[in-house]
Amino acid sequence: MRRDKKKSGIGQRQRDLTRREFVWMTGTAAAGLSVVSSPLRAAFAAEASRKSIVIHFERAIVSFGYHNRRDTEQVALVDAGLAAQNPVTLERYPVLAEELPSIKKGTWKIDKQKRTMTTVYRLRAGLKWHDGKPYSSKDFEFGWQIAKHPDFPMPDRLVPDLIAKIETPDDRTLVIHWKDLYQEAHAIQYSQVRAFPRHLLQDAFNGGDMKSFANHPFWNKEFVGMGPYRVVDWQGGKLMVGEAFNDYVFGRPKIDRVTVRQVDDTNTNLAAVLAGEVDLCLRNTISFDGAMILKGQWEKEGKGKVFISPASWTWLNLSRDNPWFKDVRVRRALFHAIDRKALVQNVFSGEDLLSHFPLSRIRRAYKKALATATLYDYNPERAKQLLAQAGWKPGADGILANAKGERMEIEFRARAGQRDDEQAQAVIADYWQKIGARVRINNMPRRLLESSENRGRWPGAFIASHNMTVEEWPERFHSKNIPSAENKFVLDNVSGWRDPKKDAILDELKSIISDEREDELQVEFVKLFTEQLPHLPLFYSSEILVVKRGLTGVMPRQESGGQNASTWNSHQWDKV
């Protein structure tokens, strides 16, 4: 930590001084002399007073844009949208817009008969990009043009495709015309559609080579955004350094510099916290076991705070490409074979984290959904019955085989180094072997799991986590979002779940509906989900947020997902 401060403090100042001045200044300071001139002494004091923090993430990123490997937490540090969401209360609020469009004020007009809408956003005055150029409504229109381009690798085109056209009568006004009813039209966030600087990207976009455009250095090391921090260093997704942006819409951040490191090994992150080398750990950088160690030792000693929030869910998926698993009886059997209650108690020290479907407990519809859902208890005998009905019977060696002579040998993947998932995987593999399935563990680091040959697919079983945000259900579960070679396997319905009734529910959920109807649809979705089991839900993933003493203003999110970021208010953070 001290070395980082010295490098980012004195080292930065060195670029503004002559070599002789720098050597003389540091030498006299080290000797404790008081003969340093007033300007140099003031400069030294200013650098020493700069506030900086180190943040650890587990995910290497490629892009701060819409596409490729990106992270909502890091994007929220360097860019901003028209609106955002408080991840604690789930309330929407304006950011670059002066206010959110309103039916009452006439800035949100809905024609339910024609199923069209118009929303009017008025931008705040004096907005500037990180390079000092003015931000214009035409930049937002340009960002929409990028998002809707058919050859641009946009993972979720829900909002871009719902927009019919955008009018920009002046530099501060956006008139957005919608093709259909959409309940979030009054609060467009950066994860859905946002502006990009035309003065930097227009020529490259007009060139028409979307592959080259998607790999433009602007998206990472040369990124220019609207967020509280501007990118001053980016090293292959492993490290990002941001400097406070003086003209940020909500004022200059209190912390001058943030250094974001990608470290995907939970033990390494735990050691860094105990050594005092990191100020903030986000997402899945710390395992649950690690959190317990920190709570029992580090937190009690007053060195910081550990927050544990069931913000997402961990699922087990049986390959959509493997014909064995297309039979729902096989999926149900393998689910009945797992004692999930015992698994959760053992892995999570008795914490009540068992999940049955991808809906947060904080949602209004949760209790009704739980009462309606099909629940799967631990029942190995029922598992064997279902497998027999599906044509799977034990051979002479006890391994299940079907009429074709195929043995149930399952390659089981998880992300290497993700301790919670690997622990659960080992337990599940043992349960499956007890009913006659042979399991081969084949864990991989994230870079391999997300490589072109593995991304979005696997031959057997895979354990991973997703957000459970209702507003992002279409992205996760709609039939049109199934990964394929045509879409470069970047879409998120990795289960391959196809069902017209389910798609109709998802389509209606994004429309303009009452709270009551929204709850009804969520319950209907959960009923279908638990009957068809596109994923086998295991437990709520405990998002561990570790905050070192002295860093203030950081809050855990209630749900994960692209609309929620713990860094949403980083401009308010302080180091005391």
Side-chain angles (χ1 to χ4, degrees), residues 3 5-31 36-37 39-41 43-45 47-48:
R3 289 193 297 271
K5 282 188 175 181
K6 188 173 183 179
K7 185 176 181 181
S8 61
I10 297 174
Q12 177 69 32
R13 180 59 189 166
Q14 185 177 7
R15 290 193 287 271
D16 300 325
L17 302 172
T18 68
R19 176 178 175 81
R20 181 174 295 178
E21 285 174 329
F22 177 76
V23 172
W24 181 80
M25 182 186 75
T26 54
T28 54
V36 181
S37 65
L40 289 178
R41 189 163 56 244
F44 186 88
E47 290 295 343

Short mmCIF file of all heavy atoms in Angstrom, two decimals, residues 3 5-31 36-37 39-41 43-45 47-48:
data_model
loop_
_atom_site.label_atom_id
_atom_site.label_comp_id
_atom_site.label_asym_id
_atom_site.label_seq_id
_atom_site.Cartn_x
_atom_site.Cartn_y
_atom_site.Cartn_z
N ARG A 3 3.95 1.47 -1.02
CA ARG A 3 4.66 1.57 -2.29
C ARG A 3 3.77 2.15 -3.37
O ARG A 3 4.19 2.93 -4.21
CB ARG A 3 5.17 0.18 -2.70
CG ARG A 3 6.30 -0.32 -1.84
CD ARG A 3 6.95 -1.52 -2.49
NE ARG A 3 6.02 -2.62 -2.59
CZ ARG A 3 5.84 -3.53 -1.64
NH1 ARG A 3 6.53 -3.45 -0.53
NH2 ARG A 3 5.00 -4.51 -1.80
N LYS A 5 1.28 4.24 -2.95
CA LYS A 5 1.13 5.68 -2.71
C LYS A 5 2.36 6.43 -3.19
O LYS A 5 2.26 7.48 -3.81
CB LYS A 5 0.90 5.95 -1.22
CG LYS A 5 -0.52 5.67 -0.77
CD LYS A 5 -0.69 6.13 0.64
CE LYS A 5 -2.12 5.98 1.11
NZ LYS A 5 -2.32 6.46 2.46
N LYS A 6 3.52 5.87 -2.88
CA LYS A 6 4.73 6.56 -3.26
C LYS A 6 4.85 6.67 -4.77
O LYS A 6 5.19 7.69 -5.33
CB LYS A 6 5.94 5.81 -2.68
CG LYS A 6 7.27 6.55 -2.86
CD LYS A 6 8.37 5.82 -2.13
CE LYS A 6 9.68 6.56 -2.24
NZ LYS A 6 10.75 5.87 -1.52
N LYS A 7 4.51 5.57 -5.44
CA LYS A 7 4.61 5.57 -6.88
C LYS A 7 3.62 6.52 -7.52
O LYS A 7 3.94 7.25 -8.46
CB LYS A 7 4.39 4.14 -7.40
CG LYS A 7 4.59 4.01 -8.90
CD LYS A 7 4.45 2.56 -9.31
CE LYS A 7 4.68 2.40 -10.79
NZ LYS A 7 4.54 1.01 -11.23
N SER A 8 2.38 6.53 -7.04
CA SER A 8 1.36 7.37 -7.66
C SER A 8 1.43 8.81 -7.15
O SER A 8 0.81 9.69 -7.71
CB SER A 8 -0.03 6.80 -7.36
OG SER A 8 -0.26 6.79 -5.98
N GLY A 9 2.18 9.05 -6.07
CA GLY A 9 2.30 10.40 -5.55
C GLY A 9 3.53 11.10 -6.05
O GLY A 9 3.51 11.89 -6.97
N ILE A 10 4.71 10.75 -5.49
CA ILE A 10 5.95 11.39 -5.90
C ILE A 10 6.23 11.14 -7.37
O ILE A 10 6.64 12.02 -8.10
CB ILE A 10 7.13 10.89 -5.02
CG1 ILE A 10 6.89 11.29 -3.57
CG2 ILE A 10 8.45 11.47 -5.50
CD1 ILE A 10 7.90 10.73 -2.62
N GLY A 11 5.96 9.86 -7.83
CA GLY A 11 6.23 9.54 -9.22
C GLY A 11 5.45 10.40 -10.17
O GLY A 11 5.94 10.81 -11.22
N GLN A 12 4.21 10.70 -9.84
CA GLN A 12 3.39 11.57 -10.69
C GLN A 12 3.97 12.98 -10.68
O GLN A 12 4.05 13.64 -11.72
CB GLN A 12 1.95 11.60 -10.16
CG GLN A 12 1.03 12.54 -10.94
CD GLN A 12 0.76 12.04 -12.34
OE1 GLN A 12 0.73 10.85 -12.56
NE2 GLN A 12 0.59 12.94 -13.28
N ARG A 13 4.40 13.44 -9.53
CA ARG A 13 4.95 14.78 -9.43
C ARG A 13 6.26 14.90 -10.21
O ARG A 13 6.60 15.94 -10.74
CB ARG A 13 5.17 15.13 -7.96
CG ARG A 13 5.75 16.54 -7.72
CD ARG A 13 4.86 17.62 -8.27
NE ARG A 13 5.52 18.91 -8.24
CZ ARG A 13 5.09 19.97 -8.89
NH1 ARG A 13 4.02 19.88 -9.64
NH2 ARG A 13 5.73 21.12 -8.80
N GLN A 14 6.98 13.78 -10.31
CA GLN A 14 8.26 13.81 -10.99
C GLN A 14 8.12 14.28 -12.43
O GLN A 14 9.02 14.92 -12.97
CB GLN A 14 8.91 12.42 -10.96
CG GLN A 14 10.32 12.41 -11.55
CD GLN A 14 10.92 11.03 -11.44
OE1 GLN A 14 10.26 10.09 -11.06
NE2 GLN A 14 12.20 10.93 -11.75
N ARG A 15 7.02 14.01 -13.07
CA ARG A 15 6.83 14.41 -14.45
C ARG A 15 6.70 15.92 -14.58
O ARG A 15 6.84 16.46 -15.66
CB ARG A 15 5.60 13.70 -15.02
CG ARG A 15 5.82 12.21 -15.19
CD ARG A 15 4.70 11.64 -16.04
NE ARG A 15 3.44 11.57 -15.32
CZ ARG A 15 3.06 10.53 -14.59
NH1 ARG A 15 3.83 9.47 -14.49
NH2 ARG A 15 1.91 10.52 -13.98
N ASP A 16 6.41 16.61 -13.47
CA ASP A 16 6.23 18.05 -13.51
C ASP A 16 7.49 18.81 -13.05
O ASP A 16 7.52 20.04 -13.05
CB ASP A 16 5.04 18.46 -12.64
CG ASP A 16 3.76 17.81 -13.11
OD1 ASP A 16 3.60 17.64 -14.34
OD2 ASP A 16 2.95 17.47 -12.24
N LEU A 17 8.50 18.10 -12.59
CA LEU A 17 9.71 18.73 -12.10
C LEU A 17 10.90 18.32 -12.97
O LEU A 17 10.86 17.29 -13.64
CB LEU A 17 10.00 18.28 -10.65
CG LEU A 17 8.92 18.56 -9.61
CD1 LEU A 17 9.31 17.87 -8.31
CD2 LEU A 17 8.75 20.04 -9.39
N THR A 18 11.98 19.09 -12.93
CA THR A 18 13.20 18.64 -13.58
C THR A 18 13.79 17.51 -12.75
O THR A 18 13.48 17.35 -11.56
CB THR A 18 14.23 19.78 -13.66
OG1 THR A 18 14.67 20.09 -12.34
CG2 THR A 18 13.65 21.01 -14.33
N ARG A 19 14.64 16.73 -13.40
CA ARG A 19 15.27 15.61 -12.68
C ARG A 19 16.06 16.12 -11.47
O ARG A 19 16.01 15.55 -10.39
CB ARG A 19 16.18 14.84 -13.63
CG ARG A 19 16.96 13.71 -12.97
CD ARG A 19 17.80 12.97 -13.99
NE ARG A 19 18.63 11.99 -13.34
CZ ARG A 19 18.20 10.78 -12.97
NH1 ARG A 19 16.96 10.43 -13.18
NH2 ARG A 19 19.03 9.93 -12.39
N ARG A 20 16.79 17.23 -11.66
CA ARG A 20 17.61 17.78 -10.57
C ARG A 20 16.73 18.22 -9.39
O ARG A 20 17.03 17.95 -8.23
CB ARG A 20 18.44 18.95 -11.07
CG ARG A 20 19.34 19.56 -10.01
CD ARG A 20 20.25 20.62 -10.59
NE ARG A 20 21.18 20.02 -11.54
CZ ARG A 20 22.06 20.74 -12.25
NH1 ARG A 20 22.10 22.05 -12.12
NH2 ARG A 20 22.90 20.14 -13.08
N GLU A 21 15.62 18.91 -9.72
CA GLU A 21 14.71 19.37 -8.65
C GLU A 21 14.14 18.18 -7.89
O GLU A 21 14.02 18.21 -6.66
CB GLU A 21 13.57 20.19 -9.25
CG GLU A 21 13.97 21.59 -9.69
CD GLU A 21 12.84 22.30 -10.40
OE1 GLU A 21 12.03 21.60 -11.05
OE2 GLU A 21 12.73 23.52 -10.31
N PHE A 22 13.77 17.13 -8.62
CA PHE A 22 13.16 15.98 -7.98
C PHE A 22 14.14 15.28 -7.03
O PHE A 22 13.82 14.97 -5.88
CB PHE A 22 12.67 14.99 -9.05
CG PHE A 22 12.08 13.73 -8.48
CD1 PHE A 22 10.82 13.73 -7.92
CD2 PHE A 22 12.80 12.55 -8.48
CE1 PHE A 22 10.27 12.59 -7.39
CE2 PHE A 22 12.27 11.39 -7.95
CZ PHE A 22 11.00 11.41 -7.40
N VAL A 23 15.37 15.04 -7.52
CA VAL A 23 16.37 14.37 -6.70
C VAL A 23 16.69 15.20 -5.46
O VAL A 23 16.78 14.71 -4.34
CB VAL A 23 17.65 14.10 -7.52
CG1 VAL A 23 18.77 13.59 -6.63
CG2 VAL A 23 17.35 13.10 -8.63
N TRP A 24 16.83 16.52 -5.67
CA TRP A 24 17.15 17.40 -4.55
C TRP A 24 16.03 17.43 -3.52
O TRP A 24 16.25 17.34 -2.32
CB TRP A 24 17.42 18.82 -5.08
CG TRP A 24 17.79 19.80 -3.98
CD1 TRP A 24 18.99 19.95 -3.37
CD2 TRP A 24 16.91 20.74 -3.37
NE1 TRP A 24 18.95 20.93 -2.43
CE2 TRP A 24 17.68 21.43 -2.40
CE3 TRP A 24 15.57 21.08 -3.54
CZ2 TRP A 24 17.14 22.44 -1.61
CZ3 TRP A 24 15.04 22.08 -2.76
CH2 TRP A 24 15.82 22.75 -1.79
N MET A 25 14.78 17.50 -4.03
CA MET A 25 13.64 17.59 -3.12
C MET A 25 13.52 16.33 -2.29
O MET A 25 13.36 16.38 -1.06
CB MET A 25 12.35 17.80 -3.92
CG MET A 25 11.11 17.94 -3.05
SD MET A 25 9.61 18.01 -4.04
CE MET A 25 9.45 16.32 -4.51
N THR A 26 13.59 15.15 -2.93
CA THR A 26 13.43 13.90 -2.19
C THR A 26 14.61 13.65 -1.26
O THR A 26 14.43 13.12 -0.16
CB THR A 26 13.27 12.73 -3.16
OG1 THR A 26 14.38 12.74 -4.08
CG2 THR A 26 11.98 12.82 -3.93
N GLY A 27 15.79 14.07 -1.68
CA GLY A 27 16.96 13.88 -0.83
C GLY A 27 16.89 14.70 0.43
O GLY A 27 17.15 14.22 1.53
N THR A 28 16.53 15.96 0.32
CA THR A 28 16.44 16.82 1.51
C THR A 28 15.30 16.40 2.40
O THR A 28 15.39 16.47 3.63
CB THR A 28 16.26 18.29 1.10
OG1 THR A 28 15.14 18.40 0.22
CG2 THR A 28 17.50 18.82 0.41
N ALA A 29 14.21 15.91 1.78
CA ALA A 29 13.09 15.44 2.60
C ALA A 29 13.50 14.23 3.42
O ALA A 29 13.18 14.11 4.60
CB ALA A 29 11.89 15.11 1.71
N ALA A 30 14.25 13.33 2.76
CA ALA A 30 14.69 12.13 3.46
C ALA A 30 15.63 12.46 4.60
O ALA A 30 15.67 11.79 5.63
CB ALA A 30 15.37 11.17 2.47
N ALA A 31 16.40 13.54 4.42
CA ALA A 31 17.36 13.93 5.46
C ALA A 31 16.71 14.73 6.58
O ALA A 31 17.35 15.07 7.56
CB ALA A 31 18.49 14.76 4.83
N VAL A 36 13.83 23.21 2.07
CA VAL A 36 13.11 23.08 0.80
C VAL A 36 12.32 24.36 0.56
O VAL A 36 11.68 24.89 1.46
CB VAL A 36 12.16 21.86 0.84
CG1 VAL A 36 11.44 21.73 -0.48
CG2 VAL A 36 12.95 20.60 1.18
N SER A 37 12.37 24.83 -0.68
CA SER A 37 11.66 26.06 -1.01
C SER A 37 10.16 25.88 -0.82
O SER A 37 9.64 24.78 -0.90
CB SER A 37 11.94 26.44 -2.47
OG SER A 37 11.40 25.47 -3.35
N PRO A 39 7.47 26.59 -2.73
CA PRO A 39 6.69 25.94 -3.79
C PRO A 39 6.87 24.43 -3.82
O PRO A 39 5.91 23.68 -3.97
CB PRO A 39 7.22 26.60 -5.08
CG PRO A 39 7.77 27.92 -4.63
CD PRO A 39 8.33 27.64 -3.27
N LEU A 40 8.13 23.98 -3.66
CA LEU A 40 8.38 22.54 -3.69
C LEU A 40 7.81 21.86 -2.46
O LEU A 40 7.28 20.75 -2.52
CB LEU A 40 9.88 22.26 -3.80
CG LEU A 40 10.52 22.60 -5.16
CD1 LEU A 40 12.01 22.32 -5.12
CD2 LEU A 40 9.86 21.82 -6.27
N ARG A 41 7.92 22.53 -1.29
CA ARG A 41 7.36 21.96 -0.07
C ARG A 41 5.85 21.85 -0.19
O ARG A 41 5.25 20.86 0.21
CB ARG A 41 7.75 22.84 1.12
CG ARG A 41 7.39 22.20 2.46
CD ARG A 41 8.13 22.85 3.62
NE ARG A 41 7.91 24.29 3.68
CZ ARG A 41 8.86 25.20 3.52
NH1 ARG A 41 10.12 24.83 3.27
NH2 ARG A 41 8.58 26.49 3.59
N ALA A 43 4.20 21.51 -3.02
CA ALA A 43 3.91 20.45 -3.98
C ALA A 43 4.02 19.08 -3.32
O ALA A 43 3.20 18.19 -3.53
CB ALA A 43 4.87 20.55 -5.17
N PHE A 44 5.06 18.91 -2.51
CA PHE A 44 5.25 17.64 -1.81
C PHE A 44 4.08 17.35 -0.88
O PHE A 44 3.56 16.24 -0.82
CB PHE A 44 6.56 17.69 -1.03
CG PHE A 44 6.92 16.37 -0.40
CD1 PHE A 44 7.65 15.43 -1.11
CD2 PHE A 44 6.53 16.07 0.90
CE1 PHE A 44 7.98 14.21 -0.52
CE2 PHE A 44 6.86 14.86 1.48
CZ PHE A 44 7.60 13.92 0.76
N ALA A 45 3.64 18.36 -0.17
CA ALA A 45 2.52 18.20 0.77
C ALA A 45 1.24 17.85 0.02
O ALA A 45 0.43 17.02 0.47
CB ALA A 45 2.33 19.48 1.58
N GLU A 47 0.99 16.26 -2.86
CA GLU A 47 1.04 14.87 -3.31
C GLU A 47 0.81 13.92 -2.15
O GLU A 47 0.13 12.91 -2.28
CB GLU A 47 2.40 14.58 -3.97
CG GLU A 47 2.58 15.27 -5.31
CD GLU A 47 1.62 14.75 -6.37
OE1 GLU A 47 1.05 13.67 -6.16
OE2 GLU A 47 1.42 15.43 -7.37
N ALA A 48 1.39 14.24 -1.00
CA ALA A 48 1.25 13.37 0.16
C ALA A 48 -0.19 13.30 0.65
O ALA A 48 -0.62 12.32 1.24
CB ALA A 48 2.16 13.85 1.28
#
